[in-house]
Amino acid sequence: MPPDCTSAFYEENAETYANRARSLPKQRLEWAPGTDPTEAERELVDRFVAYGERADVRGLAELLHEDVRFSMPPQPGTWQGRDRVVQCWIDGGFG
């Protein structure tokens, strides 16, 4: 596994992650069960599924924010940033 995919990244960015975590409860109320997705959310999910079914790595990358974080428990590691996330998917056999 590349060295940038280890927990050392978390240690270097602990304060940033702590601040983000503090803001989640308010945001999660907006994701409550029974809440219908917006048209924009439905379109995003449809595009994500379509790109995934076609193994369209470039299409999926276009949907990601530059500061995306990705993890895949129980596998160790977290990837930060669009390019790193996409490259880890490719290295793992996607596309």
Side-chain angles (χ1 to χ4, degrees):
M1 183 176 300
D4 60 347
C5 296
T6 66
S7 62
F9 186 85
Y10 275 121
E11 294 170 16
E12 294 171 13
N13 296 283
E15 186 61 30
T16 299
Y17 290 122
N19 289 334
R20 286 182 181 174
R22 287 182 197 107
S23 70
L24 285 177
K26 288 182 278 186
Q27 293 172 351
R28 287 187 179 174
L29 292 176
E30 297 170 11
W31 306 337
T35 302
D36 291 332
T38 65
E39 187 63 34
E41 290 168 334
R42 285 186 183 142
E43 180 183 322
L44 177 63
V45 170
D46 289 344
R47 289 173 57 201
F48 182 84
V49 170
Y51 290 144
E53 289 175 343
R54 292 193 312 255
D56 182 346
V57 177
R58 290 181 195 268
L60 285 169
E62 290 175 8
L63 299 179
L64 303 176
H65 282 266
E66 183 59 40
D67 66 346
V68 66
R69 285 181 299 153
F70 173 76
S71 64
M72 191 66 158
Q75 299 299 319
T78 298
W79 296 264
Q80 172 79 27
R82 181 187 303 127
D83 294 339
R84 285 185 179 160
V85 168
V86 171
Q87 189 59 52
C88 283
W89 288 348
I90 292 168
D91 293 345
F94 184 83

